């Protein structure tokens, strides 16, 4: 009476390959001789290996479902298909214990390409308001001579005569488990199942060549150092003319001569003489939006900050802009001429900071004006 391999693995006759493999792995962990040395268990282990060898192979499974004996037809002659005492595919047993998936069948010559990245330098105002840039990239593109096939025009890939298109070769070795079949990629076709007798002279059989292209990339307002812009499908074309990876444009913002960026806020420093800080003034400042006047109020101290709201960098996410923070630096003269020194002493007396010497009278009219003129060279 023929063995019911579906019953041996405990699966339905319409079970998928994934269900068959899961059932085999579960039973292999329970019945492996290293786990359970009972002779009856070893016989059971041989049965599940034989069942899995048949049901995991589409051709053998078809023969079995039609009532034939796939093991005898394949020359197996025993459990597991390798003679008495043999066990199933060694990679599947290792998969059962360690969860490593073994790849069956030939590898595809067509694979996805790698992602690529380039660095793009932009000015502060371009980062603040956004811009459009043309960039040049050197990437792999599909070979126009062979259209990614890798074979010279008029030729094509042929089935490997060593593995007969399977992409792998098998051999039987002896181990403590008995005779074990192991598989490895075919050395002649490197696991592809096909060979290219006459490679394309342009791409040497790779199906792709390197080329320089010009792309237009839109830089959104508010980008900062390290921001990466993804251009889908603009990276490296894969081997065999496979789909291209993505291109990432990494932003590098160049230093500005006036402003320092902190997040979306801009900072700058204006230097004014102490007379201007005392009397107040208006300082012209070239901002990202054009020329503006910064109002310096009387009595402004060195180190004081004056915010100009909404004059910073556009927020990358959400509306609005950051601020422009103007830091005031008040300079003190290091060398005075006699007139400047006299006026400063008069000011100090008026403020009660110095006692009069009799050389001049306090309360003179226009002292602040004359003091300002003196320090401005008038």
């Amino acid at each position: 009476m023929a063995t019911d391999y579906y019953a041996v693995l405990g699966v339905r006759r319409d079970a998928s390959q994934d269900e068959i493999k899961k059932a085999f792995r579960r039973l292999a962990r329970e019945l492996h001789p290293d786990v359970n040395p009972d002779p009856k268990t070893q016989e059971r282990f041989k049965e599940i290996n034989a069942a899995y060898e048949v049901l995991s192979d589409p051709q053998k499974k078809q023969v079995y479902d039609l009532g034939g004996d796939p093991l005898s037809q394949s020359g197996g002659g025993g459990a597991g298909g390798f003679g008495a005492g043999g066990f199933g595919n060694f990679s599947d047993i290792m998969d059962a214990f360690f969860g490593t998936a073994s790849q069956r069948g030939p590898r595809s010559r067509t694979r996805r390409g790698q992602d690529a990245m380039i660095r793009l330098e932009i000015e502060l105002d371009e980062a603040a308001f956004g811009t459009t840039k043309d960039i040049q990239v050197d990437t792999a593109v599909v070979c126009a001579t062979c259209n990614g096939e890798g074979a010279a025009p008029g030729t094509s890939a042929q089935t490997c005569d060593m593995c007969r298109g399977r992409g792998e070769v098998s051999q039987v070795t002896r181990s403590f488990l008995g005779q074990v079949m192991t598989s490895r990629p075919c050395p002649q076709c490197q696991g592809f199942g096909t060979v290219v007798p006459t490679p394309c002279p342009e791409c040497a059989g790779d199906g792709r060549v390197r080329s320089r292209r010009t792309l237009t990339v839109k830089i959104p307002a508010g980008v900062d150092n390290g921001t990466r812009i993804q251009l889908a499908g603009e990276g490296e074309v894969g081997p065999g003319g496979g789909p291209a990876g993505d291109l990432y444009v990494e932003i590098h913002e160049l230093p500005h001569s006036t402003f320092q960026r902190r997040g979306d806020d801009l900072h700058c420093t204006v230097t004014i003489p102490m007379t201007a800080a005392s009397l107040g003034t208006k300082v012209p400042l070239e901002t990202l939006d054009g020329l503006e006047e910064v109002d310096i109020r009387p009595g402004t101290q060195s180190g004081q900050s004056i915010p100009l709201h909404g004059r910073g960098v556009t927020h990358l996410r959400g509306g609005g802009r950051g601020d422009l923070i103007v830091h005031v630096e008040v300079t003190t003269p290091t060398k005075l001429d006699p007139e400047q020194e006299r006026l400063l002493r008069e000011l100090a007396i008026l403020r009660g900071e110095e006692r009069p010497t009799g050389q001049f009278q306090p309360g003179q009219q226009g002292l602040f004006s004359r003091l300002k003129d003196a320090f401005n060279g008038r």
Side-chain angles (χ1 to χ4, degrees):
M1 184 176 179
T3 304
D4 186 350
Y5 290 138
Y6 292 100
V8 170
L9 293 181
V11 297
R12 305 184 313 274
R13 297 190 70 86
D14 60 348
S16 65
Q17 286 294 318
D18 187 55
E19 292 172 330
I20 292 172
K21 187 165 188 175
K22 287 181 179 178
F24 168 75
R25 293 177 58 186
R26 175 178 54 81
L27 292 171
R29 285 193 294 266
E30 296 176 1
L31 303 174
H32 195 279
D34 288 347
V35 178
N36 195 334
D38 182 54
K40 293 183 179 180
T41 303
Q42 294 184 27
E43 291 299 321
R44 172 76 171 136
F45 184 65
K46 295 177 184 178
E47 290 180 2
I48 68 168
N49 272 277
Y52 181 68
E53 181 187 355
V54 171
L55 299 183
S56 63
D57 187 315
Q59 294 181 350
K60 293 180 181 180
K61 183 175 181 295
Q62 183 179 18
V63 173
Y64 174 73
D65 289 340
L66 293 175
D69 186 354
L71 295 182
S72 64
Q73 293 182 17
S74 63
F82 324 120
F87 296 100
N89 189 299
F90 183 70
S91 62
D92 290 319
I93 298 175
M94 298 302 290
D95 185 19
F97 279 91
F98 303 107
T100 56
S102 58
Q103 181 178 347
R104 298 297 185 92
R107 294 190 296 130
S108 173
R109 291 185 179 274
T110 302
R111 300 192 301 275
R112 181 184 184 274
Q114 294 183 341
D115 295 337
M117 186 179 73
I118 64 170
R119 190 183 190 193
L120 178 61
E121 295 182 341
I122 62 174
E123 301 290 345
L124 174 60
D125 60 329
E126 295 174 326
F129 303 121
T131 186
T132 300
K133 290 280 191 179
D134 287 336
I135 58 175
Q136 288 189 331
V137 294
D138 291 315
T139 60
V141 298
V142 175
C143 176
T145 302
C146 66
N147 294 320
E149 296 295 331
T155 67
S156 60
Q158 298 179 3
T159 301
C160 175
D161 56 9
M162 177 176 286
C163 66
R164 297 181 180 180
R166 295 174 59 242
E168 60 182 15
V169 292
S170 304
Q171 67 182 63
V172 178
T173 58
R174 285 189 172 275
S175 72
F176 68 94
L177 298 177
Q179 292 182 341
V180 178
M181 176 178 285
T182 58
S183 298
R184 60 187 177 87
C186 174
Q188 180 166 294
C189 65
Q190 287 76 50
F192 293 118
T194 59
V195 293
V196 181
T198 309
C200 172
E202 184 69 22
C203 64
D206 191 42
R208 55 182 182 169
V209 294
R210 300 204 69 81
S211 175
R212 173 168 292 187
R213 300 174 293 145
T214 299
L215 300 176
T216 300
V217 55
K218 182 178 180 181
I219 310 298
V223 295
D224 202 350
N225 273 323
T227 299
R228 291 184 179 181
I229 302 171
Q230 181 182 11
L231 301 180
E234 296 293 352
E236 302 278 353
V237 166
D246 297 335
L247 174 66
Y248 291 88
V249 180
E250 185 175 87
I251 298 300
H252 177 69
E253 184 181 298
L254 296 172
H256 195 272
S257 59
T258 303
F259 304 114
Q260 296 83 44
R261 180 175 176 178
R262 301 175 192 171
D264 290 340
D265 291 336
L266 299 178
H267 295 256
C268 70
T269 300
V270 295
T271 301
I272 60 175
M274 65 177 187
T275 52
S278 300
L279 302 175
T281 187
K282 291 185 180 295
V283 178
L285 177 64
E286 190 66 41
T287 71
L288 297 182
D289 299 276
L291 185 64
E292 296 191 24
E293 288 190 337
V294 181
D295 185 17
I296 307 295
R297 296 183 178 181
T300 297
Q301 302 296 305
S302 186
Q304 188 171 334
S305 299
I306 302 173
L308 300 182
H309 299 293
R311 292 294 184 267
V313 177
T314 304
H315 299 313
L316 182 60
R317 295 177 179 83
R321 296 170 57 183
D323 298 331
L324 171 58
I325 311 299
V326 180
H327 301 272
V328 178
E329 182 179 278
V330 180
T331 59
T332 303
T334 58
K335 186 176 181 181
L336 302 174
D337 61 32
E339 177 64 14
Q340 292 171 338
E341 182 177 356
R342 185 186 68 80
L343 291 172
L344 281 178
R345 289 189 179 277
E346 187 174 351
L347 175 62
I349 292 173
L350 288 175
R351 293 170 55 88
E353 299 170 356
E354 184 175 314
R355 297 180 62 185
T357 61
Q359 298 177 356
F360 45 78
Q361 297 296 324
Q364 295 179 4
Q365 297 293 326
L367 175 60
F368 276 99
S369 178
R370 289 184 287 115
L371 183 63
K372 182 177 180 181
D373 292 343
F375 279 91
N376 289 337
R378 292 184 296 187

